[in-house]
């Protein structure tokens, strides 16, 4: 996202548009990749609600949130692009408001990767996670990425 200081992320978080909804997918590759044709779209506030549940010392991935929403809605899968966008919106909305914060730094990308699109980037997320006892690993030489070591052992179950 660009020009974060000029956007009202809390307004974006409250704008559910026409969601929640289930859409039938007809693209064969998508159906094969996700194991079905019923794709769920969760509103941004739902991501924020789940992210708020993750306790100190635990983490969750965007994929686990998507699986949770698909299960709750009876869909085959939750749409992945809006999921990533809405998680970032929840993070920035929390950063912009005082009080009622969302511990967004506990929500990781696939394979336990830190999210460079959060406020302060991976450096800020790393600091917060290390304060909570997590060990952060650096991978890569040119395209450096950061991961929570053994994140699977700290996964939070939203059910």
């Amino acid at each position: 996202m660009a020009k974060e200081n000029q956007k009202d992320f809390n307004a974006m978080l409250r704008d559910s548009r026409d969601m929640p909804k289930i859409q039938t997918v007809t693209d064969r590759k998508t159906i094969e990749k996700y194991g079905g044709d019923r794709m769920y779209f969760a509103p941004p506030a739902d991501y924020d609600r789940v992210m708020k549940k993750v306790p100190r010392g635990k983490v969750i991935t965007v994929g686990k949130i998507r699986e949770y929403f698909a299960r709750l809605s009876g869909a085959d899968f939750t749409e992945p692009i809006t999921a990533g966008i809405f998680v970032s919106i929840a993070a920035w909305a929390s950063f912009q408001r005082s009080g009622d914060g969302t511990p967004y730094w506990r929500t990781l990308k696939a394979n336990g990767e830190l999210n460079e699109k959060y406020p302060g980037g991976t450096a800020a997320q790393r600091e917060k996670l290390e304060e909570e006892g997590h060990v952060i690993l650096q991978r890569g030489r040119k395209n450096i990425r950061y991961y929570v070591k053994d994140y699977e052992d700290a996964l939070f179950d939203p059910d």
Side-chain angles (χ1 to χ4, degrees):
M1 290 186 202
K3 301 182 181 178
E4 283 81 2
N5 58 343
Q6 298 174 12
K7 297 178 182 178
D8 182 351
F9 287 97
N10 284 287
M12 290 182 205
L13 194 64
R14 291 186 300 270
D15 185 4
S16 62
R17 305 211 173 161
D18 59 347
M19 293 175 257
K21 70 178 178 181
I22 293 180
Q23 180 177 321
T24 302
V25 177
T26 57
D27 178 63
R28 272 278 149 238
K29 287 184 178 181
T30 302
I31 293 169
E32 289 173 16
K33 181 176 182 177
Y34 295 109
D37 65 352
R38 293 174 45 83
M39 179 170 63
Y40 180 69
F41 289 83
D46 286 3
Y47 287 90
D48 188 60
R49 252 189 302 285
V50 171
M51 292 165 70
K52 280 183 177 178
K53 292 180 181 181
V54 182
R56 180 180 180 83
K58 293 288 188 178
V59 294
I60 194 166
T61 63
V62 177
K64 288 292 180 194
I65 296 173
R66 289 180 49 237
E67 289 172 11
Y68 172 69
F69 288 152
R71 229 179 6 265
L72 282 181
S73 67
D76 297 311
F77 65 101
T78 301
E79 201 281 326
I81 304 298
T82 57
I85 293 168
F86 292 168
V87 163
S88 288
I89 287 172
W92 281 96
S94 177
F95 184 75
Q96 286 181 343
R97 67 180 175 259
S98 58
D100 191 32
T102 300
Y104 57 85
W105 57 90
R106 297 176 187 152
T107 301
L108 308 172
K109 294 167 60 173
N111 302 313
E113 184 177 356
L114 275 58
N115 194 332
E116 69 280 353
K117 295 183 180 175
Y118 285 168
T122 54
Q125 186 179 16
R126 178 180 184 161
E127 183 180 321
K128 289 179 180 289
L129 288 168
E130 287 176 338
E131 285 174 7
E132 295 186 4
H134 298 286
V135 175
I136 308 301
L137 304 174
Q138 177 180 322
R139 295 188 185 144
R141 293 183 183 196
K142 291 186 179 179
N143 185 18
I144 297 171
R145 294 177 181 217
Y146 297 93
Y147 297 83
V148 173
K149 181 181 180 186
D150 299 325
Y151 76 96
E152 300 96 334
D153 296 338
L155 276 176
F156 173 74
D157 183 2
D159 286 317

